């Protein structure tokens, strides 16, 4: 369970929620341009674009959940169970294991258009990172200010969709979500008009009635609709308000612990929420345990080779006002 959005009102902001039943020890990772990125096929890349994002570190390599590179290209990998179809290695093609798609694109591409060129005709393989880490069924969203795409591995190969909604959740496939969105074309942030029976005097008894029918559950289809509606109808984009607005949007698809349970009875929650500002190259995040927005900036001038990991662990930061009330 995850939701990702790209918002181009004001500066381009990109981020996601990670909704799972447990944390895998992820951290905020800063990857300088000379860090040796290893791929299953070919030599390690020792000269690539710098990037920043959230990743799980395994055997010294970052397994990114989402990230932004020094040119402001952003991407995220989201769970795609029951639909992702990987293929065996194919000679003559660009072969990428599922865990390599995100770092390979951000290491080499300056824009979404370049990502399309790299991934068109690519072969996403069924190879595992290790025996302990089998392939995870994934699809991807990539975005810059000019364009947003969804990339899905299918039985027909890798399909790349333009994503004008700049929103992605989980299964079913992206075309389903766009078709389903049409079921909610009538929703509005404005007070509703009486089209039911215009000759009868009816008036709204509450604010917000234009959005009656907006799905409130945590299914992927409902989160897609809710994220799209809220993103396209929120305001307040000046200065730091745009960062605050982004997190308020993501709050509408966040999962309180226990509101969703796995089939094994484990409670799901939003482990973290991210927001990458592609103008300032600043990566903002909150976690379930700490709602304070924290930020780390990517220094594109850094030419080192050492990966930096910033802990995302923190307790809730509550400001107590001890001043007497008068």
């Amino acid at each position: 369970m995850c939701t990702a959005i790209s918002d181009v009102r004001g500066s381009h902001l990109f981020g996601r929620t990670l909704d799972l039943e447990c944390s895998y020890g992820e951290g905020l990772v800063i990857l300088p341009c000379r860090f040796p990125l290893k791929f299953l096929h070919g030599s390690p890349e020792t000269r690539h674009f710098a990037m920043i994002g959230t990743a799980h570190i395994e055997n010294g390599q970052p397994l990114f959940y989402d990230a932004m590179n020094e040119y402001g290209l952003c991407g995220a990998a989201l769970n795609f169970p029951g639909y992702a179809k990987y293929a065996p290695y194919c000679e003559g093609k660009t072969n990428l294991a599922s865990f390599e798609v995100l770092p390979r694109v951000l290491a080499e591409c300056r824009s979404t258009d370049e990502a399309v060129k790299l991934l068109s005709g690519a072969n996403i393989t069924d190879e595992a990172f290790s025996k302990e880490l089998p392939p995870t069924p994934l699809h991807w969203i990539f975005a810059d200010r000019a364009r947003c795409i969804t990339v899905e591995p299918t039985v027909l190969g890798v399909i790349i969709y333009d994503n004008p909604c700049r929103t992605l959740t989980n299964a079913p496939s992206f075309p389903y979500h766009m078709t389903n969105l049409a079921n909610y074309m009538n929703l509005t942030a404005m007070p509703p008009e009486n089209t039911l029976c215009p000759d009868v005097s009816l008036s709204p008894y509450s604010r917000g009635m234009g959005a009656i029918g907006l799905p409130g559950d945590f299914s992927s289809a409902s989160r897609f609709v809710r994220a799209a509606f809220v993103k396209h109808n929120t305001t307040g984009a000046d200065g730091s308000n745009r960062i605050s607005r982004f997190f308020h949007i993501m709050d509408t698809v966040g999962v309180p612990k226990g509101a969703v349970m796995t089939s094994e009875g484990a409670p799901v929650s939003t482990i973290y929420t991210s927001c990458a500002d592609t103008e300032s190259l600043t990566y903002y995040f909150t976690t379930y345990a700490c709602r304070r927005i924290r930020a780390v900036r990517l220094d594109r001038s850094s030419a080192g080779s050492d990966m930096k990991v910033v802990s995302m662990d923190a307790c809730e930061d509550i400001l107590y006002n001890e001043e007497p009330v008068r």
Side-chain angles (χ1 to χ4, degrees):
M1 293 178 61
C2 309
T3 305
I5 66 170
S6 163
D7 191 346
V8 293
R9 297 169 296 169
S11 62
H12 176 216
L13 304 178
F14 177 95
R16 59 93 53 82
T17 61
L18 179 73
D19 309 321
L20 290 172
E21 61 272 23
C22 65
S23 168
Y24 288 91
E26 58 281 336
L28 191 152
V29 174
I30 304 169
L31 211 63
C33 61
R34 292 187 181 276
F35 176 85
L37 271 175
K38 297 178 182 178
F39 299 99
L40 295 181
H41 307 288
S43 303
E45 289 198 20
T46 56
R47 186 73 179 181
H48 53 76
F49 301 143
M51 61 189 81
I52 183 171
T54 299
H56 166 70
I57 308 300
E58 188 75 17
N59 295 334
Q61 288 291 306
L63 302 177
F64 279 105
Y65 302 162
D66 67 281
M68 165 181 61
N69 73 13
E70 62 183 277
Y71 286 93
L73 178 62
C74 301
L78 280 71
N79 201 24
F80 196 42
Y83 286 81
K85 303 296 181 184
Y86 300 138
Y89 173 86
C90 183
E91 191 69 36
K93 286 193 172 186
T94 300
N95 290 278
L96 296 171
S98 56
F99 58 87
E100 297 177 332
V101 173
L102 194 55
R104 179 70 176 272
V105 168
L106 297 183
E108 298 183 9
C109 301
R110 294 175 176 84
S111 66
T112 305
D113 287 344
E114 290 186 7
V116 170
K117 292 179 181 178
L118 174 64
L119 295 173
S120 294
N123 184 46
I124 300 180
T125 71
D126 54 6
E127 296 164 291
F129 182 85
S130 65
K131 290 182 180 180
E132 294 75 25
L133 293 174
T136 300
L138 299 172
H139 62 173
W140 297 266
I141 179 173
F142 292 98
D144 58 19
R145 171 174 286 282
R147 188 179 182 186
C148 180
I149 60 171
T150 295
V151 180
E152 295 188 337
T154 73
V155 291
L156 301 177
V158 177
I159 300 180
I160 301 173
Y161 302 98
D162 274 302
N163 186 338
C165 202
R166 291 180 174 263
T167 302
L168 189 64
T169 54
N170 311 107
S173 63
F174 181 69
Y176 169 87
H177 287 297
M178 292 303 294
T179 299
N180 181 57
L181 205 58
N183 290 322
Y184 303 91
M185 290 171 59
N186 62 302
L187 298 184
T188 175
M190 297 297 294
E193 296 182 9
N194 177 17
T195 59
L196 173 66
C197 41
D199 56 333
V200 177
S201 178
L202 298 176
S203 59
Y205 55 81
S206 170
R207 293 178 179 177
M209 292 179 65
I212 287 180
L214 180 68
D217 63 89
F218 297 104
S219 67
S220 57
S222 294
R223 283 183 284 110
F224 189 101
V225 174
R226 196 157 65 251
F229 174 82
V230 176
K231 180 168 74 76
H232 284 89
N233 286 282
T234 46
T235 59
D238 296 330
S240 61
N241 287 341
R242 56 195 169 84
I243 304 300
S244 177
R245 179 183 67 182
F246 191 94
F247 280 99
H248 280 299
I249 294 169
M250 300 307 279
D251 282 345
T252 67
V253 291
V255 181
K257 192 170 186 177
V260 176
M261 305 291 288
T262 69
S263 56
E264 292 79 19
V268 174
S269 65
T270 297
I271 303 295
Y272 77 88
T273 304
S274 65
C275 171
D277 184 338
T278 64
E279 280 190 6
S280 65
L281 296 182
T282 304
Y283 188 91
Y284 302 84
F285 69 94
T286 64
T287 65
Y288 195 86
C290 182
R291 300 280 291 164
R292 181 174 187 175
I293 298 174
R294 289 172 277 169
V296 178
R297 184 166 293 175
L298 175 64
D299 182 5
R300 60 158 55 97
S301 65
S302 175
S305 60
D306 294 331
M307 175 173 57
K308 299 177 182 178
V309 181
V310 178
S311 174
M312 300 176 80
D313 293 339
C315 296
E316 195 66 82
D317 185 11
I318 301 175
L319 176 63
Y320 291 94
N321 190 343
E322 303 294 347
E323 293 295 323
V325 177
R326 296 180 180 178

